[in-house]
Amino acid sequence: MKFNLLKQLLFLGIMLSGSIIFAQTVTGTVTGDEGPLPGVNVIEKGTTNGVTTDFDGNYSIDLASSDAVLVFSFIGFTSQEQAVNGRSVINVQLAVDAQALDEVVVIGYGQTTVKDATGSVSAVKSEDFNKGVIASPEQLIQGKTAGVQISNSSGEPGAGIALRIRGTTSVRSNNNPLFVVDGVPLSGEASSAEGSDIGFGTSGAKNPLSFLNPNDIESISVLKDASSTAIYGSRGANGVVIITTKTGKGSQGGLFEYSAALSFAKAADTYDLLGKDQFLAGLNQFGLDATANDFGSNTDWQEVVLRSTVSHDQNISYSNNYGDGSIRATFGYAQQEGIIEKSSLERLTGRVNANHRFLDDKLKLTAQLSISQTKDESPPLSGSAGSKGDLLGSAYSANPTWPNDPTFNLEGNRNPINFLTYTQNESETDRQLLNFSAEYDFTTELTAKVNVGYDHSNSTREALASSLIDNAESGTSGNGAGFINDIEVSNKLLEFTLNYSKEFENSKLDALVGYSFQDFQREGRNVEGWGFTSENMNQMASDITAAANEAQARIDGSYQQYGYGPNLPNGFINRLFPNETNDLNYTNATVRSLVGNTFDFTDELQSFFGRVNYTIADKYLFTATVRADGSSKFGSDNQYGYFPSGAFAWKINEEDFTGDTFSTLKLRLSYGITGNQDGLGFGNFVRRERYADPSISDGGDVNPPGLTSVSFANDKLKWEETTSYGFGIDFGFANDRLKGTIDFYNKQTTDLLIKTVSAQPAPQPTVFENIDATVLNQGVEFSLDYDFIQSDDLTWNANFNIAYNENELQDFDGAISAGTIRGPGLSLAFSQILAGGHPLFSYFLRQFEGYDANGQGIFTGGVDNQTFVGKSALPEVTAGLSTSVSYKNWDVSLYFAGQFGHYVYNNTANAFFTAGNFGTARNVIPSVLTSGESTSAEASVSTRFLESADFIRLQNATIGYQVPLKEDGVIKSLRLTLTGQNLFIITDYTGLDPEVSTNPDNAGLLNDLPTAGIDYTSFPKPRTFTFGLNMTF
Amino acid sequence: MKREQNNLKFYGLLIVFAVLMYSCTDLEIEQSDSIIPEDTGGGFSGVADPASSIGDLYNSFYSNLESQENLNAVNVVTTDEQLIPTRGADWGDNGIWRQLHQHSWTPAHLFILRTWNDWNQNAFRASEIIETSSTTVAEAAEAKWQRALSMYHVMDVFGVVPFRGVDEGPEIDPIVLTRTEALDFILADLNDAIAGLPSRAAGAEAYTASKEVAKFLLAKVLLNKHIYNGSGSADNADMLQVMTLVDEIAAQGFALEAGYFDLFATAPDSESIWTIKSSIGNRIWNGMHYKMTAPDQSGGWNGFSTLAEFYDLFEGDANTNYVGDGQEERRGWVPDAGNADNTTNFGIGFGFLIGQQYDETGAALTDRQGNPLTLKKQFPGIVGNDETTGIRIIKYHPINGEFNQHQIAFRYSDAHLMKAEALWRSGGDPTVLVNELRTLRGAQPITSVTEQDLIDERGRELYIEQWRRNDLIRFGQYTKDWEFKLPAAVGDETKNLMPIPASALLSNPNLVQNPGY
């Protein structure tokens, strides 16, 4: 406010003095769409006489001649000329130059423009983001960018997401790109705990990005090729996604913005299961005892566990550009309900982005502070549920004549409502991401910047099953079981960069050097309790927490683990560094058995990097980068990896010989080496000992673990490297009204970091090694943008992108099974093998040929003959089409997404929709009754359940209306929208949704290989309608 | 003023820059939640706490031996005493059980791989303890027994035994001991262990090693020595030593004990030489039907069954096993409406379950389709079964507690039969010894003992105690024909060894695949 006043006084002074001395003066106000524009250049044409507008957009200029023409120009806006013609007041409104704004893309440690970019970079601005219910930032750009595949693995709010840029490069579980939020590279590890097994299997961690409020995001840049990601060195191999949050820059004079959304959702699709009558008739048809299996009710179990939901999202922000700086403060609250009972996501976010310039704009201080609290509630779903299934599995297979009654118990079966009622799984994650930077211009050429980032999160997950649960595993029934998983993650970043940029006569140099240090600390505890006196799950949660805290309080000195049980009434303490020796001597009547285990480790990354951009004649652009990354995950011989890249771009349209045909024609060549070390884990290069993980037996006994080697230490471990080549052409016609990009790339990942089978004898069955094999990804990306109609009242544009990727593992001798299939009679079954000469996630199955006369399956080469079937879970083609039309105050936009060439294993059908299952009086879909399969047939893993997953989806449709308002009203703008998400899907897939991937937790993975393309009782995707309101005032 | 401020900021930045440079790190990880032995440059520097590592290795044994998969599957499901038929969609499990019973396993079989990994890993961990300078003599003896047991299982199942020095990292391909070399290695470890381990009398808690435990394993190895070294016939000196070892075990109070099914409860007895500290739930429930009474709802899995021909080894009515059907004690009995109760049996029988089954109130059970739960002797095939086919075996009984940590690994009656066999193999007459056991178990004495009587007696006494494969191979009967074994596998002597797992072969070029695979 102080600066504001000062400026106005100063301006008043200038005005007064001006009017006294000169006679011919023009004054006025320059405005943009959102109000006054400060800093606009106002120049008397043909002279050097000029002024700039003040904070309120006012200017005053003394003219040299009476027939002067004034030129108003401002970056990002179309320049305007006004002949004075004797006027003394000239007010001007400048139009936004959309093309100019689009051009800016944020890249690593800087920004550039699309026209000057040498690498393959796509930026999506907030106005192009997907609308509707957005739980996490990456959903904002789903389908917007060629070669970027973003799959929601399930319809669960806050579920993990798979984001693949130019294919899948890693054979480990880490294929997500590096996320950089306002300059802070985030850790690739989850910030919340995975779901523990409270009696029905485990589940993967939640989405680590859901702490960000999508409404705070200004733009998302996707760096696809090595020339642009190599500046992030060892973390660039999977691509880099740079998220930039909104600032107050564009809001002169203070602007409030309020947005609200109200959403209604229900399952987009459900299974057509047998009803009571069909079910009983079917039993008779198969010669089974219908009377014995008729329990009298008629329950639609899907209706019991699914629900229609109402969610809402509110955001209020204040932003202000006061000249020497700007500020934006926001507060958001979102409450998203999942379409399965007991699933929800509640998020509270607050953010302040502020920057201020000091010392004649030479020093710029920036702070970006965000805090968030996320509460997740998860239903009893698991990616690793066994024969009885999880909540959905049991709902699909439950006898429809069972009553909807949690006390109904039939031995050996799982009653969905019992299961739902007596389990609880809630987590709360508090996260702060704080970032401060100071930037100082030593000269106009030399700038230094210091950046300090702190990312801290604290997460607690409580998973409980009460003793009233029936037919659960692990001795949970009758006793109750519970887990507390606490994780505290602290990442610190220190960064220093120096930037030198200088324009020469016919060329331009832009150089950057930097140093960065980042550490990643993870600490926490896993507590397991068994045998609860209380049946109330909230009470159980507080009992186990109290018992664990009390036990910990009794321990003097440091410890790794502790516990007690009926067989161990005095308890035990395991200390790694015994500085004290007291005994636990603790039991707690409310929790009969308890074990707690702690962890605390820190990884470090230290980097030196540099980049040179050199432009000749604005036609030939050269970029070279190098980064040296040192990681504490490797032994001293291999700690540092060096990641260079180079790129060249040629703006052919700037050449005289191209004439005016092209408005853009740019050729790009790039090469680079990037690295990857994610998923390697802590300290695998050195022999370490820890106490083994404690557990509680099914009967409640606790056997204290002893010391053992953590891993098979490999001091030869080194960086996994990806070498990429790229070639691209950007083109545009008619002032880029039609524009497009085509890119070819080849990525070869070598020295693969993989857990292979140890050459026994060894301390562990597997060892991390760099194996001499290659993962090849090569493909082509194409995008096209066309403005069909550009007029004042009516506009219509469309954007189409499509990408093809080919993936193959080469020079690999092994054959590692992966893709666990689960369900009754499917223990230890798998569907994929990782082998040389095949894409990752290649299916390895029995070839199903039909049924014989006895209704038994026939398989090529016999019942146990599994072979490669030439199909993979990885899509070959991904495509997106968006189009928008605006007419006066109305606008409509549609976005279609498609993926092709890949296959999904319908594990749900394999596990539940077979005659064999019907033979055990479990419910099925109608086709099972007519398939010709016998109830005594085995439903082995075969091509019978492998289905094409090609689909086209209308992902998003939005109708918007800009409410016309009076010029001087309190409300400056008001926009109403109606958005539909997941409106329809065209696919031959017989499951609920082909865009699916069921993920167990890491321990549930077969041979530590990630899963893809397995549909096992996935959380159904919702169809959502959202009413949105956005106003500024 | 402004100038000064400017300078101030400039120096400020310089200071920050200096701090940053000092923050340059050597990237060394901290010893925060694990012990990182100091790198003395000499490679392996010992385990931090030998006693604790020994304890954890026991935990590893317990979980390896508790599982119904892996070693248990290799030793039990590949024989005539057990099969897991595929029942409708249930128990298909990608064919993993069928392949074992049919003798159609391949080097890719998961249980075979895990058996290889588990026991080789155990051997390596024992070596680490043995090679630690702070290990006491008694601890080293215990670790040598642990290594001998681990290498014994590898040698017994796979023939060759790889060996890795404790300071050899992943870049070293372990050497491979032939079966004879491995045998010598194991015998040496066992002799050291016997010398250094304390004695433990019968009746005491038996979760860990003792002189007697090591002697039992030595007797077992010696009894099989002619198989392992390929000599083909037992050496009299070895047989004499087996008998001596058994007598030495008996001298500590171990003896045959009456009350067959009481041995599998938790009360102390004179037969248990080594018991493992892990839940017996897997042993109880693998064959029980889903609807059989499970007090805490853990419940049956309705999988594991036995062949009719194995059931027929026992005296008694061939088709029913209710009280009074003329059976000997070890075949057990099935409660019926008259004697099923909630205090002594939950309606669940002991031993071999055949015919109509009852719940704890004496009501006849049905399967999940509503048919009477009448367990049948015959199978329509190894696939295509319903829920009722197959006789089930239960030795540990839920009435004694479902999750007791008391699974017998080494038992005196096995030692007793080893002594009888050693006597027979060295030309003596074991009839008295065999009848001593048979009389105690309520079976008719036999007049003279043949080779077949010996293997059958071992089957009747030790069924599903993980010795059947070892016994059949020693008696040359592992390759005989039984129901559902593939014809091609009958008489195929290469089946006496399991294949080296495919991924193990890839991991170590020194390994050569066993013949026949």
Side-chain angles (χ1 to χ4, degrees):
Chain A
M1 225 38 182
K2 212 167 67 186
F3 304 103
N4 209 336
L5 264 173
L6 200 73
K7 273 250 160 186
Q8 286 181 348
L9 285 172
L10 211 69
F11 177 70
L12 201 67
I14 291 165
M15 285 256 288
L16 286 171
S17 59
S19 61
I20 290 162
I21 300 163
F22 301 102
Q24 205 168 5
T25 301
V26 175
T27 60
T29 308
V30 183
T31 53
D33 276 352
E34 292 177 340
L37 287 176
V40 175
N41 288 312
V42 185
I43 295 170
E44 188 176 349
K45 196 174 180 180
T47 72
T48 53
N49 181 27
V51 296
T52 57
T53 57
D54 72 352
F55 161 70
D56 288 321
N58 297 322
Y59 72 94
S60 172
I61 185 167
D62 306 311
L63 299 178
S65 76
S66 56
D67 58 348
V69 174
L70 291 181
V71 181
F72 299 84
S73 67
F74 190 53
I75 293 169
F77 290 80
T78 311
S79 296
Q80 213 177 94
E81 292 185 8
Q82 292 275 346
V84 176
N85 290 336
R87 288 179 291 174
S88 61
V89 177
I90 301 178
N91 294 328
V92 168
Q93 180 163 16
L94 292 182
V96 174
D97 182 347
Q99 197 181 320
L101 269 189
D102 280 345
E103 276 186 346
V104 176
V105 285
V106 179
I107 56 170
Y109 306 101
Q111 61 181 40
T112 182
T113 59
V114 169
K115 287 201 178 305
D116 288 339
T118 52
S120 181
V121 182
S122 307
V124 183
K125 302 279 172 192
S126 56
E127 54 268 28
D128 296 324
F129 284 163
N130 291 321
K131 308 292 192 299
V133 177
I134 303 288
S136 158
E138 61 270 43
Q139 288 171 278
L140 294 169
I141 59 163
Q142 201 165 6
K144 298 287 182 186
T145 309
V148 179
Q149 181 204 347
I150 301 173
S151 302
N152 297 58
S153 50
S154 86
E156 184 171 11
I161 204 157
L163 202 159
R164 302 283 174 269
I165 297 173
R166 294 189 165 173
T168 302
T169 54
S170 171
V171 293
R172 301 183 307 288
S173 293
N174 302 74
N175 277 298
N176 277 340
L178 172 69
F179 290 97
V180 180
V181 178
D182 290 329
V184 180
L186 303 183
S187 156
E189 306 277 335
S191 55
S192 65
E194 296 182 320
S196 299
D197 187 350
I198 50 173
F200 58 88
T202 56
S203 56
K206 295 282 187 169
N207 189 326
L209 284 183
S210 59
F211 78 99
L212 281 174
N213 181 352
N215 286 289
D216 283 343
I217 296 172
E218 170 70 29
S219 76
I220 298 179
S221 280
V222 182
L223 315 186
K224 295 194 283 192
D225 66 352
S227 82
S228 48
T229 65
I231 194 78
Y232 287 107
S234 68
R235 288 179 290 176
N238 294 327
V240 178
V241 173
I242 300 182
I243 295 172
T244 308
T245 57
K246 288 174 181 165
T247 65
K249 198 169 75 184
S251 317
Q252 291 74 22
L255 190 69
F256 283 95
E257 183 175 355
Y258 171 74
S259 68
L262 186 65
S263 301
F264 302 88
K266 60 183 291 190
D269 195 11
T270 55
Y271 283 106
D272 175 26
L273 298 169
L274 302 180
K276 177 186 183 178
D277 295 340
Q278 278 177 295
F279 179 77
L280 295 176
L283 289 176
N284 282 325
Q285 176 196 328
F286 278 93
L288 302 163
D289 191 338
T291 319
N293 286 301
D294 184 354
F295 295 86
S297 297
N298 188 2
T299 308
D300 181 340
W301 288 106
Q302 287 187 99
E303 217 162 73
V304 172
V305 302
L306 298 176
R307 63 180 178 183
S308 298
T309 65
V310 182
S311 304
H312 65 95
D313 186 359
Q314 329 261 355
N315 288 283
I316 184 148
S317 71
Y318 171 76
S319 45
N320 189 1
N321 181 344
Y322 52 79
D324 279 339
S326 69
I327 185 163
R328 183 174 190 273
T330 66
F331 178 76
Y333 175 72
Q335 155 80 42
Q336 190 186 341
E337 285 188 332
I339 55 167
I340 295 184
E341 297 284 347
K342 287 195 175 177
S343 64
S344 64
L345 170 73
E346 187 183 1
R347 176 176 55 213
L348 216 67
T349 55
R351 169 175 285 277
V352 175
N353 282 3
N355 64 73
H356 191 84
R357 292 185 300 275
F358 298 92
L359 313 174
D360 296 334
D361 293 352
K362 278 188 175 155
L363 178 68
K364 185 181 173 191
L365 297 183
T366 305
Q368 283 141 327
L369 318 173
S370 75
I371 54 168
S372 71
Q373 181 180 75
T374 313
K375 287 181 178 170
D376 284 301
E377 182 194 16
S378 310
L381 292 180
S382 164
S384 67
S387 62
K388 293 171 193 161
D390 58 10
L391 177 68
L392 282 172
S394 63
Y396 296 153
S397 61
N399 181 330
T401 70
W402 291 350
N404 179 9
D405 172 1
T407 65
F408 176 81
N409 178 19
L410 198 62
E411 297 214 346
N413 290 284
R414 193 161 274 167
N415 172 2
I417 189 68
N418 169 276
F419 207 49
L420 183 64
T421 309
Y422 299 119
T423 56
Q424 179 170 304
N425 190 339
E426 294 176 354
S427 70
E428 179 179 322
T429 306
D430 294 309
R431 187 160 178 171
Q432 304 89 42
L433 180 57
L434 314 176
N435 186 21
F436 302 91
S437 67
E439 203 174 340
Y440 186 76
D441 298 337
F442 288 101
T443 67
T444 47
E445 284 101 21
L446 185 66
T447 304
K449 185 177 178 183
V450 178
N451 193 15
V452 182
Y454 181 64
D455 178 9
H456 176 259
S457 72
N458 214 327
S459 174
T460 293
R461 189 193 273 240
E462 299 168 348
L464 300 148
S466 106
S467 58
L468 297 173
I469 192 169
D470 293 320
N471 299 302
E473 281 124 37
S474 310
T476 301
S477 302
N479 298 303
F483 283 85
I484 303 284
N485 303 107
D486 291 340
I487 295 188
E488 187 176 353
V489 183
S490 312
N491 301 341
K492 298 190 212 67
L493 171 76
L494 279 171
E495 214 171 58
F496 182 82
T497 51
L498 266 179
N499 209 322
Y500 180 78
S501 87
K502 184 159 177 75
E503 297 209 18
F504 303 97
E505 198 153 311
N506 191 30
S507 65
K508 201 167 85 180
L509 175 72
D510 198 0
L512 170 96
V513 289
Y515 165 79
S516 146
F517 171 76
Q518 203 167 4
D519 75 16
F520 307 90
Q521 186 188 14
R522 294 173 74 77
E523 60 178 310
R525 63 172 179 176
N526 296 310
V527 178
E528 179 183 0
W530 183 94
F532 287 77
T533 46
S534 177
E535 290 161 355
N536 176 307
M537 290 177 287
N538 290 326
Q539 184 63 43
M540 288 169 70
S542 69
D543 285 348
I544 183 175
T545 307
N549 291 346
E550 175 62 23
Q552 287 173 205
R554 283 167 178 255
I555 305 174
D556 299 330
S558 71
Y559 59 92
Q560 187 199 320
Q561 51 191 214
Y562 55 87
Y564 63 77
N567 67 325
L568 208 66
N570 295 325
F572 75 95
I573 303 168
N574 274 334
R575 305 167 195 267
L576 287 161
F577 312 108
N579 44 0
E580 302 279 347
T581 53
N582 74 313
D583 295 324
L584 189 63
N585 282 327
Y586 174 70
T587 51
N588 183 318
T590 62
V591 188
R592 295 206 297 281
S593 304
L594 182 87
V595 290
N597 194 18
T598 63
F599 56 92
D600 176 6
F601 55 88
T602 304
D603 281 312
E604 295 178 340
L605 194 65
Q606 170 167 267
S607 317
F608 305 89
F609 51 89
R611 175 172 55 212
V612 174
N613 283 318
Y614 188 60
T615 308
I616 301 171
D618 200 29
K619 288 179 197 164
Y620 313 105
L621 304 109
F622 299 88
T623 302
T625 70
V626 65
R627 180 161 176 140
D629 266 353
S631 165
S632 64
K633 287 182 181 177
F634 302 111
S636 50
D637 293 348
N638 297 310
Q639 263 180 347
Y640 280 89
Y642 302 92
F643 305 98
S645 81
F648 166 67
W650 179 22
K651 291 191 196 170
I652 306 173
N653 60 302
E654 300 285 341
E655 298 285 359
D656 294 337
F657 59 79
T658 44
D660 292 334
T661 319
F662 291 97
S663 48
T664 299
L665 183 62
K666 187 168 75 169
L667 185 106
R668 291 178 279 106
L669 290 171
S670 75
Y671 160 81
I673 294 175
T674 48
N676 193 348
Q677 56 161 351
D678 270 1
L680 179 58
F682 173 75
N684 273 302
F685 65 92
V686 68
R687 186 171 173 277
R688 294 185 297 125
E689 286 184 52
R690 240 173 93 75
Y691 288 96
D693 291 344
S695 61
I696 301 175
S697 81
D698 290 2
D701 288 330
V702 171
N703 294 329
L707 280 169
T708 185
S709 294
V710 176
S711 64
F712 191 6
N714 182 358
D715 61 1
K716 306 284 187 290
L717 283 174
K718 61 178 181 183
W719 300 89
E720 177 176 287
E721 281 192 358
T722 299
T723 307
S724 319
Y725 302 88
F727 167 72
I729 296 171
D730 300 334
F731 57 89
F733 301 95
N735 202 20
D736 285 358
R737 184 170 176 173
L738 173 68
K739 65 180 176 187
T741 294
I742 184 160
D743 270 295
F744 299 88
Y745 62 87
N746 175 298
K747 292 204 296 184
Q748 300 197 32
T749 307
T750 53
D751 290 331
L752 301 180
L753 273 173
I754 186 174
K755 258 190 183 174
T756 60
V757 170
S758 303
Q760 289 289 351
Q764 293 286 333
T766 55
V767 57
F768 263 114
E769 286 189 300
N770 293 92
I771 58 163
D772 190 16
T774 302
V775 174
L776 172 73
N777 280 283
Q778 56 185 0
V780 53
E781 295 160 0
F782 177 69
S783 69
L784 201 61
D785 207 285
Y786 185 53
D787 293 330
F788 289 93
I789 300 172
Q790 283 177 321
S791 68
D792 286 346
D793 279 346
L794 180 67
T795 65
W796 176 27
N797 91 326
N799 171 287
F800 173 69
N801 69 69
I802 188 162
Y804 168 83
N805 185 69
E806 189 181 291
N807 177 286
E808 192 178 286
L809 176 63
Q810 299 177 329
D811 306 322
F812 178 62
D813 293 331
I816 309 180
S817 45
T820 308
I821 300 300
R822 299 170 202 271
L826 293 166
S827 305
L828 307 165
F830 63 92
S831 59
Q832 298 165 349
I833 279 190
L834 181 75
H838 297 273
L840 305 182
F841 309 107
S842 279
Y843 291 104
F844 185 81
L845 301 169
R846 293 171 187 80
Q847 196 82 43
F848 178 71
E849 293 182 352
Y851 304 104
D852 66 14
N854 298 321
Q856 303 287 329
I858 309 169
F859 303 96
T860 310
V863 68
D864 285 326
N865 180 39
Q866 279 179 267
T867 56
F868 282 107
V869 294
K871 288 162 182 168
S872 154
L874 294 177
E876 288 171 347
V877 174
T878 54
L881 172 67
S882 34
T883 182
S884 57
V885 177
S886 71
Y887 178 69
K888 292 188 173 164
N889 288 336
W890 291 88
D891 56 83
V892 175
S893 64
L894 299 174
Y895 160 54
F896 296 87
Q899 292 182 9
F900 310 92
H902 60 310
Y903 289 79
V904 163
Y905 193 86
N906 192 342
N907 190 171
T908 305
N910 193 170
F912 301 110
F913 303 144
T914 63
N917 263 289
F918 192 63
T920 61
R922 289 170 164 169
N923 205 1
V924 292
I925 53 177
S927 60
V928 173
L929 303 183
T930 55
S931 67
E933 188 184 14
S934 158
T935 53
S936 70
E938 182 197 3
S940 51
V941 173
S942 73
T943 53
R944 176 182 167 195
F945 303 103
L946 187 66
E947 301 185 38
S948 165
D950 294 355
F951 72 89
I952 295 172
R953 187 198 309 273
L954 177 54
Q955 183 95 23
N956 198 305
T958 299
I959 299 174
Y961 179 63
Q962 191 77 35
V963 180
L965 298 167
K966 269 185 282 178
E967 284 275 322
D968 303 324
V970 178
I971 299 175
K972 294 203 172 87
S973 75
L974 176 62
R975 181 175 150 82
L976 303 174
T977 54
L978 171 63
T979 299
Q981 284 167 284
N982 190 17
L983 291 175
F984 67 79
I985 184 163
I986 303 169
T987 181
D988 289 335
Y989 183 62
T990 62
L992 295 182
D993 197 309
E995 194 181 2
V996 64
S997 180
T998 305
N999 298 313
D1001 76 331
N1002 287 330
L1005 297 174
L1006 182 57
N1007 295 319
D1008 295 293
L1009 292 175
T1011 59
I1014 311 280
D1015 180 8
Y1016 185 43
T1017 60
S1018 300
F1019 198 113
K1021 292 222 175 114
R1023 178 170 296 137
T1024 309
F1025 293 95
T1026 303
F1027 296 101
L1029 171 154
N1030 189 308
M1031 63 180 188
T1032 56
F1033 50 93
Chain B
M1 178 72 191
K2 194 166 186 187
R3 185 80 219 163
E4 270 175 41
Q5 205 180 25
N6 206 340
N7 282 340
L8 209 67
K9 296 287 171 185
F10 179 70
Y11 290 128
L13 271 176
L14 268 184
I15 290 164
V16 173
F17 182 56
V19 166
L20 279 170
M21 288 298 109
Y22 273 111
S23 74
C24 274
T25 166
D26 54 10
L27 298 171
E28 279 202 358
I29 55 173
E30 300 290 320
Q31 190 173 253
S32 50
D33 74 348
S34 51
I35 300 167
I36 308 175
E38 253 178 66
D39 188 1
T40 53
F44 180 73
S45 52
V47 299
D49 179 351
S52 182
S53 295
I54 288 171
D56 206 63
L57 188 46
Y58 277 118
N59 286 347
S60 174
F61 288 165
Y62 301 156
S63 75
N64 293 157
L65 294 170
E66 174 188 22
S67 171
Q68 75 282 3
E69 301 179 342
N70 313 329
L71 183 67
N72 177 73
V74 165
N75 279 333
V76 174
V77 183
T78 65
T79 73
D80 56 352
E81 70 179 356
Q82 210 158 52
L83 82 161
I84 296 97
T86 304
R87 304 176 187 279
D90 290 344
W91 290 103
D93 293 359
N94 226 32
I96 200 161
W97 300 107
R98 292 190 297 262
Q99 288 168 15
L100 290 181
H101 187 78
Q102 293 174 314
H103 283 210
S104 61
W105 55 75
T106 68
H109 200 282
L110 185 64
F111 292 163
I112 296 174
L113 171 65
R114 287 196 194 148
T115 302
W116 173 268
N117 284 347
D118 288 349
W119 293 97
N120 275 308
Q121 179 179 335
N122 291 339
F124 183 78
R125 292 176 61 185
S127 288
E128 287 190 323
I129 301 162
I130 295 164
E131 300 297 327
T132 296
S133 54
S134 63
T135 302
T136 65
V137 174
E139 285 165 348
E142 191 156 23
K144 285 198 172 182
W145 176 78
Q146 292 183 318
R147 182 164 71 182
L149 177 78
S150 308
M151 288 175 70
Y152 158 75
H153 281 306
V154 178
M155 175 184 69
D156 186 58
V157 173
F158 298 99
V160 297
V161 180
F163 188 83
R164 180 190 291 279
V166 287
D167 55 353
E168 295 177 342
E171 72 282 4
I172 306 280
D173 297 322
I175 58 162
V176 178
L177 305 179
T178 66
R179 211 177 197 188
T180 315
E181 289 166 348
L183 176 67
D184 292 342
F185 198 108
I186 291 164
L187 290 173
D189 268 354
L190 280 174
N191 285 320
D192 289 354
I194 290 169
L197 280 167
S199 259
R200 182 174 57 219
E205 185 188 80
Y207 290 137
T208 55
S210 66
K211 242 184 213 349
E212 291 66 39
V213 171
K215 284 177 177 175
F216 180 98
L217 184 59
L218 180 58
K220 186 68 83 178
V221 173
L222 290 171
L223 189 66
N224 287 282
K225 190 174 159 189
H226 63 285
I227 303 294
Y228 298 146
N229 66 15
S231 75
S233 62
D235 184 273
N236 276 349
D238 293 335
M239 295 305 108
L240 195 62
Q241 200 186 342
V242 170
M243 289 185 277
T244 309
L245 287 164
V246 174
D247 289 342
E248 286 171 11
I249 293 168
Q252 287 300 318
F254 292 96
L256 298 179
E257 183 165 319
Y260 188 66
F261 290 103
D262 293 339
L263 296 173
F264 304 99
T266 49
D269 58 63
S270 60
E271 286 215 7
S272 300
I273 299 171
W274 182 41
T275 44
I276 63 168
K277 196 177 185 177
S278 54
S279 167
I280 38 86
N282 289 354
R283 292 288 168 280
I284 295 179
W285 297 113
N286 62 38
M288 299 302 102
H289 190 268
Y290 310 105
K291 289 196 174 177
M292 288 178 169
T293 304
D296 75 343
Q297 300 191 1
S298 50
W301 313 349
N302 202 42
F304 292 42
S305 307
T306 192
L307 290 178
E309 55 204 78
F310 192 79
Y311 178 73
D312 289 342
L313 291 177
F314 293 84
E315 301 168 14
D317 190 310
N319 295 308
T320 72
N321 200 23
Y322 298 115
V323 172
D325 282 336
Q327 67 274 50
E328 62 153 289
E329 184 187 11
R330 291 175 296 192
R331 206 177 76 174
W333 59 283
V334 179
D336 56 21
N339 53 16
D341 65 44
N342 205 13
T343 54
T344 65
N345 56 42
F346 298 137
I348 298 174
F350 293 80
F352 290 74
L353 310 188
I354 184 172
Q356 176 66 51
Q357 304 294 304
Y358 295 85
D359 71 8
E360 75 280 15
T361 68
L365 284 167
T366 56
D367 66 13
R368 290 184 296 180
Q369 293 76 31
N371 308 307
L373 184 62
T374 307
L375 299 178
K376 300 177 182 69
K377 216 172 164 180
Q378 304 299 337
F379 304 88
I382 200 163
V383 296
N385 289 273
D386 65 22
E387 294 184 4
T388 67
T389 58
I391 298 168
R392 315 301 163 79
I393 305 179
I394 178 169
K395 261 184 148 163
Y396 298 87
H397 200 283
I399 202 74
N400 298 318
E402 289 176 84
F403 299 112
N404 295 332
Q405 299 199 78
H406 185 83
Q407 181 181 317
I408 296 171
F410 292 172
R411 190 151 72 85
Y412 184 73
S413 57
D414 187 357
H416 181 83
L417 287 172
M418 284 200 280
K419 183 181 172 186
E421 187 180 331
L423 182 61
W424 174 78
R425 288 193 188 278
S426 52
D429 180 1
T431 310
V432 174
L433 286 171
V434 171
N435 278 336
E436 192 187 336
L437 177 67
R438 286 183 61 79
T439 310
L440 192 69
R441 301 291 185 234
Q444 297 297 320
I446 44 182
T447 50
S448 68
V449 171
T450 63
E451 180 175 10
Q452 192 61 42
D453 289 333
L454 272 177
I455 176 69
D456 288 351
E457 197 59 38
R458 285 191 66 84
R460 285 184 289 262
E461 176 68 22
L462 299 166
Y463 60 87
I464 62 168
E465 290 186 49
Q466 306 193 354
W467 295 115
R468 186 67 175 168
R469 174 179 169 279
N470 177 269
D471 289 343
L472 286 173
I473 290 172
R474 195 170 64 256
F475 283 88
Q477 297 191 9
Y478 189 60
T479 58
K480 73 177 179 181
D481 196 9
W482 57 64
E483 194 175 20
F484 305 127
K485 189 188 263 192
L486 291 185
V490 176
D492 181 354
E493 295 293 323
T494 64
K495 299 291 182 198
N496 285 333
L497 287 180
M498 287 289 168
I500 309 294
S503 53
L505 274 181
L506 273 174
S507 73
N508 184 358
N510 295 332
L511 285 165
V512 177
Q513 184 55 281
N514 285 327
Y517 296 102

